[in-house]
């Protein structure tokens, strides 16, 4: 049995390739209602996944055996198939997901051990399981990326008497309504087309145009959701990009994609616990501010425009993700777990290992990164000086002149349909900076920070670190 998780392809799929050479294969995807009910999941993510599943089913059918889809709790589905067909071996790629998938996989591993079923889990990304130290991680990533793309799987004998099952809709999964009219389509064919257009023409000004939302939607690769759901493999993207002399900055981001996931693999608690415990209890719940931020009604035009664009597309570029998280954490003083869950649901390309580490970085709780407090007005002036992006997403400001588009509350007659700022952003930033930096002066802070650095810090000393907007909140690979 090959259990497809978020690796929805047949090309460069080590689990499928190796299993197909061991005997008949039942390719399985389990739709887990409890997983999709988690606070970091959404209908927009499921719809991308469902489209990718439809293409995967066609690709597997072409090999001889269509994808089998079952809906239910994973362990119960596996138990039922064991009773019906017998499972000689279970294959799946390693997964570094959220706390739900971590606990689920531990339960499955225990059951497999009890049943005497070998569970083979080849690596998918450049993440190394049970890694005791980060020493040597970067060359290990490079070695994996340089290995030949995994051989195509052998023909799959058709298994008789198995209902392939249907792909449920988001309504059938009882997912909350989640309009996302600008969402990317799922499926490997979509990912291949994006990579080709990026390498042929869209990515020519990648390094210069990835930071502004005016240009990033076109100049970034837009492959992040395809990596999250595995319609393409990391290795094939790296190799195709290098073969076509694609942007070096893009390859750097692919490396940092795995770098951040490795942190969560090594310390799953980073999803819900401050990396540096000195920050425990720093921020208090504020549902009203959280709601205004989610709805794009903070009163800071560039922030609100970015949030509304994200709600529409399910994607926005990294620099703006970092700004949104920073504003929520500092000016609005919202706990990173709450704002992080809201962003996770909005990101079609939500990748837990990257997302939660970036949430902590941008909110100052990682313990080893510089406290970076984004000025929401300066960000707008830098990346949307004429207010073009603002007017696109805030029609209530379409008649405001350039001189007031970034600070409409200062106009002699502020627009009545647009809210006043939630707080004084400069005063709030100063107060936040004082509190965060004050904790860094506490007794024992440096000792714990040094331990975090030894455990999670990059060892790539000879190569330049990425600019401040590299990394990713979801990940924008670019």
């Amino acid at each position: 049995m090959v259990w497809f998780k978020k690796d929805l392809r047949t090309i460069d799929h080590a689990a499928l390739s190796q299993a197909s050479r061991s005997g008949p294969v039942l390719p399985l995807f389990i739709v887990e209602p409890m997983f999709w009910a988690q606070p970091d999941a959404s209908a927009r993510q499921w719809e991308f996944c469902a489209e990718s599943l439809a293409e995967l089913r066609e690709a597997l059918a072409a090999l001889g055996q269509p994808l089998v889809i079952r809906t239910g709790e994973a362990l119960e589905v596996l138990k039922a198939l064991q009773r019906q067909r017998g499972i000689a071996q279970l294959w799946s790629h390693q997964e570094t997901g959220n706390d739900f998938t971590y606990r689920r996989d531990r339960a499955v591993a225990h059951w497999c051990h009890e049943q005497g079923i070998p569970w083979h889990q080849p690596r998918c990304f450049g993440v190394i399981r049970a890694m005791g130290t980060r020493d040597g991680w970067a060359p290990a990533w490079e070695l994996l990326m340089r290995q030949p793309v995994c051989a195509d799987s052998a023909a799959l004998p058709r298994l008789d008497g198995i209902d392939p099952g249907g792909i449920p809709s988001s309504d059938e999964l009882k997912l909350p309504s989640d309009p996302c009219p600008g969402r990317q389509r799922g499926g490997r064919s979509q990912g291949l087309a994006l990579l080709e257009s990026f390498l042929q023409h869209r990515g020519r000004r990648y390094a210069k145009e990835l930071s502004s939302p005016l240009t990033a939607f076109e100049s970034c690769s837009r492959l992040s959701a395809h990596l999250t759901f595995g319609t393409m493999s990391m290795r094939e993207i790296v190799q195709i990009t290098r073969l076509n002399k694609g942007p070096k900055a893009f390859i750097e981001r692919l490396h940092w994609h795995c770098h951040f996931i490795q942190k969560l693999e090594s310390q799953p608690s980073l999803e819900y616990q401050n990396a540096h415990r000195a920050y425990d209890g720093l921020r208090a719940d504020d549902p009203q501010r959280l709601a205004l931020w989610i709805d794009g009604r903070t009163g800071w035009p560039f922030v609100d425009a970015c949030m509304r664009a994200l709600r529409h597309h399910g994607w926005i570029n990294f620099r703006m993700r970092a700004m949104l998280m920073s504003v929520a954490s500092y000016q609005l003083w919202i706990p990173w777990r709450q704002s992080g869950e809201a962003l996770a649901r909005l990101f079609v390309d939500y990748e837990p290992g990257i997302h939660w580490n970036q949430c902590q970085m941008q909110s100052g709780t990682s313990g080893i990164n510089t406290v970076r407090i984004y000025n929401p007005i300066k960000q707008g002036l830098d990346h949307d000086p004429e207010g073009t992006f603002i007017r696109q997403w805030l029609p209530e400001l379409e008649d405001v002149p350039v001189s007031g588009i970034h600070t409409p509350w200062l106009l002699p007659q502020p627009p009545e349909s647009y809210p006043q700022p939630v707080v004084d952003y400069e005063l709030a930033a100063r107060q936040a900076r004082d509190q965060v930096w004050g904790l860094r002066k506490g007794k024992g802070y440096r000792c714990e920070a040094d331990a975090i650095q030894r455990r999670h810090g990059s060892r790539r000393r000879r190569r330049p670190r990425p600019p401040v907007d590299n990394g990713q909140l979801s990940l924008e690979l670019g």
Side-chain angles (χ1 to χ4, degrees), residues 202-477:
R202 289 192 300 108
R204 290 174 182 171
R205 294 177 58 82
Y206 173 75
K208 294 182 178 180
E209 295 186 347
L210 59 84
S211 293
S212 171
L214 285 169
T215 53
F217 282 86
E218 176 67 15
S219 296
C220 289
S221 78
R222 304 303 307 278
L223 286 168
S224 49
H226 292 277
L227 269 176
T228 291
F229 288 94
T231 65
M232 301 181 70
S233 77
M234 171 70 74
R235 179 164 51 201
E236 65 176 323
I237 292 174
V238 169
Q239 293 187 11
I240 293 171
T241 300
R242 285 174 170 168
L243 182 64
N244 287 272
K245 296 181 170 55
K248 293 182 179 180
F250 177 63
I251 296 292
E252 186 75 5
R253 288 204 164 197
L254 291 169
H255 177 277
W256 281 82
H257 168 282
C258 298
H259 164 80
F260 280 103
I261 297 177
Q262 182 67 57
K263 293 185 180 186
L264 190 63
E265 172 67 35
S266 300
Q267 188 178 348
S269 63
L270 292 174
E271 178 185 349
Y272 50 82
Q273 178 179 289
N274 289 328
H276 199 300
R277 303 309 299 275
Y279 296 106
D280 289 358
L282 178 63
R283 298 176 172 96
D285 297 354
D286 194 324
Q288 183 177 9
R289 288 187 179 184
L290 178 64
L292 291 171
W293 176 77
I294 292 172
D295 292 340
R297 299 283 294 171
T298 66
W300 300 311
F302 192 58
V303 172
D304 293 341
C306 287
M307 184 61 82
R308 295 189 198 182
L310 169 59
R311 294 173 66 89
H312 178 90
H313 288 287
W315 182 93
I316 199 163
N317 58 313
F318 169 73
R319 181 83 176 196
M320 299 306 100
R321 297 182 189 216
M323 179 194 69
L324 288 172
M325 192 68 204
S326 174
V327 167
S329 300
Y330 294 112
Q331 282 88 352
L332 301 180
W333 208 238
I334 298 169
W336 60 263
R337 179 68 202 187
Q338 293 181 11
S339 51
E341 284 183 352
L343 287 178
R345 292 190 294 271
L346 292 173
F347 293 155
V348 174
D349 58 5
Y350 166 58
E351 182 67 68
I354 301 163
H355 181 77
W356 294 114
N357 282 296
Q358 282 292 326
C359 284
Q360 295 221 38
M361 281 182 61
Q362 303 303 338
S363 64
T365 61
S366 68
I368 59 175
N369 300 100
T370 298
V371 177
R372 185 176 300 116
I373 302 176
Y374 284 72
N375 180 324
I377 310 308
K378 182 179 184 302
Q379 290 299 308
L381 292 169
D382 287 348
H383 300 294
D384 185 29
E386 301 298 317
T388 304
F389 185 76
I390 291 173
R391 291 189 183 86
Q392 179 183 355
W393 294 103
L394 306 183
E396 59 267 47
L397 298 182
E398 61 183 355
D399 296 327
V400 173
V402 172
S403 59
I405 194 67
H406 295 283
T407 53
W409 64 90
L410 297 179
L411 292 170
Q413 293 184 320
E416 295 181 0
S417 60
Y418 187 67
Q420 292 286 309
V422 179
V423 296
D424 181 323
Y425 71 92
E426 293 178 312
L427 175 61
R430 286 196 297 270
Q431 292 174 339
R433 183 179 292 107
D434 290 345
Q435 291 192 63
V436 173
W437 276 109
L439 289 173
R440 292 196 169 203
K441 299 175 183 177
K443 182 179 180 181
Y445 182 94
R446 175 48 54 192
C447 182
E448 185 174 343
D450 288 344
I452 295 170
Q453 177 65 37
R454 287 192 298 272
R455 185 172 190 178
H456 296 300
S458 172
R459 303 297 197 268
R460 301 174 75 199
R461 301 300 188 191
R462 296 184 180 180
R463 299 184 65 178
R465 287 183 178 272
V468 294
D469 66 336
N470 270 14
Q472 234 255 1
L473 261 185
S474 75
L475 176 122
E476 176 21 30
L477 288 170

